[in-house]
Amino acid sequence: MAKFDYDLFVIGAGSGGVRASRIAAGYGARVGICEESRVGGTCVIRGCVPKKLMTYAAHFSEDFKDAQAYGWNVVPGSFDWSRFIAAKDKEIDRLNDIYISLLSNAGVDLLEGRGVFLDRNTLRIGERTITAETILIAVGGRPFVPEFPGRELVITSDEAFHLSSLPERIVVVGGGFIATEFAGIFNGLGSEVTQVYRGDALLRGFDDDVRAMVTSGLRTHGIDVRLECGVEKVTASDSGAYSVHLNSGKILAADQVMYATGRFPYTPELNLEAAGVSMQNNGAIPVDEFSATNVANIYAVGDVTDRINLTPVALHEGHAFADTVYGERPRSCDHRFVPSAVFSNPAVATVGYTESDAREMFTEIKVFRSKFRHLKHSLTGSKQQMMMKLIVCADSDKVVGLHVVGQDAAEIVQGFAVAVKSGLSKADFDATIGIHPTAAEELVTLREPV
Ligand code: NDP
């Protein structure tokens, strides 16, 4: 008889956990997985997927205006929030079902409930206790909201997907991925949006030109971006509205206040101490390149490890873990040159170094940059600009950074990321013939460094 109930037990059925369990089961391992919420995790249930559907919904307001400039007699209609939310929820239910079938088709046992460590091989899941030779922690993260008076009145992205109505006025706090994306979503859907951020330009960590362009782009769309600004307290009124008291002394009236001030690794209730697994101060689980923790039979992938908190990275980490431990194909996830995008308006996508990081990394760099109006807007009169920027290491001629702001940024950069990841040179870019007329052709026609 087997010594353990499972060869592998995975805690958390999100992107990383589902991928790891399916691949391990494919190699013949006896696999179980537990989930306390819905199978699919943050990305599918309350993250990337529903958020992207919301960005599509939001973009129509601009599309209707653009259509008029192209001769269409479009009468802008009103937006039906409930109808959209119902359609979005139906699609999320469909994806949730697909994820459940993927697990059962792979022969993975799905247990409902939170996994709590009793020791390094034993977990309690609800009323059940199971044992496993190897345990993978893939519990992801949860929204972080700082302490302040009125904290209990605000929502996070988790609730933003399920509001009963579209807020007429919303204050979004934070200047990162989620805040900037949701500011654009609510603005596009017709809410009056104020974004409050403590820094001097949105999207810290991105290239400075990108940050400046996104900050001014959001303002062009009518979002009231308040920089170097904080919230002292939030109070509720009898009418159901809120007052957001800023540290500048100003008070903003809002129907919803959304905090997008980062996420924390969801380790607090795992009882990791019982298994002897180390944690960093922020709750993240430190792992080596093969996602192994300090305890020999326990691994961790995805946001809970706080490496690069993106779904495709978690998928890679989970897949590499299963190949290594069950497939006799030891491999690690390469975290260099991971492309990413912010689905804001204007959108951003990027791969590689920012200009300022590249200046520190390389002795000499060349910067190529082009700002222009998208051909589509030659008829619409929109003042929106696009930007393409390349950072080139002068010694090797390799393109080490590529940044796009504007329409289809993510679709463009996904393709170019292969070139940057492969270490192609500026000369290789120059030798590639553009597709005309596209915006992306700028990236192969940039001639003079700035
Ligand atoms: P981010 O880390 O991107 O941004 C957090 C923001 O909140 C920053 O602007 C930060 O300011 C601010 N902040 C942090 N603490 C406080 C505080 N106490 N008071 C006021 N402001 C504060 O987190 P998000 O929540 O936006 O997103 C979480 C992660 O999810 C991202 O890092 C990303 O990895 C992932 N994600 C990816 C998406 C994509 O790929 N398109 C979309 C959404 C999320 P400061 O800059 O000064 O630190």
Side-chain angles (χ1 to χ4, degrees), residues 399-414:
V399 177
V400 293
L402 187 151
H403 310 273
V404 175
V405 179
Q407 194 173 321
D408 301 323
E411 304 290 346
I412 294 169
V413 170
Q414 180 64 86

Side-chain angles (χ1 to χ4, degrees), residues 51 146 175-178 181 197-198 204 260-263 309-310 341:
K51 182 275 314 282
F177 279 78
I178 298 181
E181 290 182 340
Y197 174 50
R198 64 187 181 182
R204 188 166 62 81
T261 42
R263 296 174 63 85
N309 299 333
L310 299 172

Side-chain angles (χ1 to χ4, degrees), residues 2-9 24-25 28-32 107-109 131-133 326:
K3 192 169 165 208
F4 298 104
D5 299 332
Y6 294 98
D7 297 324
L8 169 67
F9 199 89
R30 295 171 308 131
V31 185
V108 175
D109 279 355
T131 59
E133 183 177 16
Y326 298 100

Side-chain angles (χ1 to χ4, degrees), residues 158-411:
D158 283 357
E159 293 78 34
F161 294 115
H162 301 287
L163 294 174
S164 55
S165 59
L166 177 68
E168 272 179 40
R169 302 158 300 177
I170 184 165
V171 173
V172 180
V173 182
F177 279 78
I178 298 181
T180 307
E181 290 182 340
F182 272 91
I185 287 169
F186 284 113
N187 171 257
L189 295 179
S191 305
E192 191 183 293
V193 182
T194 308
Q195 186 173 356
V196 174
Y197 174 50
R198 64 187 181 182
D200 60 0
L202 301 174
L203 298 180
R204 188 166 62 81
F206 283 77
D207 186 89
D208 286 341
D209 281 329
V210 170
R211 299 180 68 194
M213 214 162 153
V214 170
T215 306
S216 70
L218 260 61
R219 285 177 166 152
T220 308
H221 283 103
I223 297 171
D224 180 1
V225 181
R226 309 259 175 133
L227 299 174
E228 297 176 319
C229 184
V231 173
E232 269 177 359
K233 63 177 177 178
V234 176
T235 53
S237 72
D238 294 342
S239 64
Y242 303 104
S243 296
V244 182
H245 299 250
L246 303 179
N247 55 11
S248 60
K250 284 246 158 55
I251 300 174
L252 306 171
D255 304 297
Q256 291 290 350
V257 184
M258 176 176 160
Y259 263 67
T261 42
R263 296 174 63 85
F264 67 89
Y266 190 45
T267 44
E269 289 168 65
L270 280 175
N271 197 26
L272 287 176
E273 301 77 15
V277 176
S278 309
M279 263 187 295
Q280 290 162 355
N281 287 342
N282 68 350
I285 300 177
V287 288
D288 69 10
E289 72 206 278
F290 294 107
S291 298
T293 69
N294 64 311
V295 178
N297 69 310
I298 302 179
Y299 294 76
V301 295
D303 290 5
V304 74
T305 63
D306 198 24
R307 285 177 278 184
I308 299 179
N309 299 333
L310 299 172
T311 297
V313 175
L315 290 168
H316 252 254
E317 290 168 355
H319 204 133
F321 153 79
D323 283 349
T324 303
V325 179
Y326 298 100
E328 293 176 6
R329 285 180 56 211
R331 68 183 184 98
S332 56
C333 172
D334 183 357
H335 292 95
R336 290 167 305 166
F337 293 104
V338 172
S340 68
V342 187
F343 296 99
S344 45
N345 191 8
V348 173
T350 179
V351 58
Y353 294 96
T354 64
E355 180 178 340
S356 59
D357 286 349
R359 284 196 193 287
E360 285 184 15
M361 273 302 288
F362 306 98
T363 329
E364 202 188 326
I365 60 165
K366 288 185 196 159
V367 176
F368 298 83
R369 188 179 52 215
S370 168
K371 283 189 187 174
F372 56 96
R373 189 163 70 166
H374 196 286
L375 178 62
K376 181 182 176 188
H377 292 304
S378 52
L379 296 198
T380 68
S382 164
K383 300 268 183 299
Q384 289 177 57
Q385 289 223 305
M386 277 200 86
M387 184 184 73
M388 307 271 170
K389 183 169 176 179
L390 292 182
I391 318 289
V392 176
C393 167
D395 283 345
S396 64
D397 195 41
K398 279 187 184 173
V399 177
V400 293
L402 187 151
H403 310 273
V404 175
V405 179
Q407 194 173 321
D408 301 323
E411 304 290 346

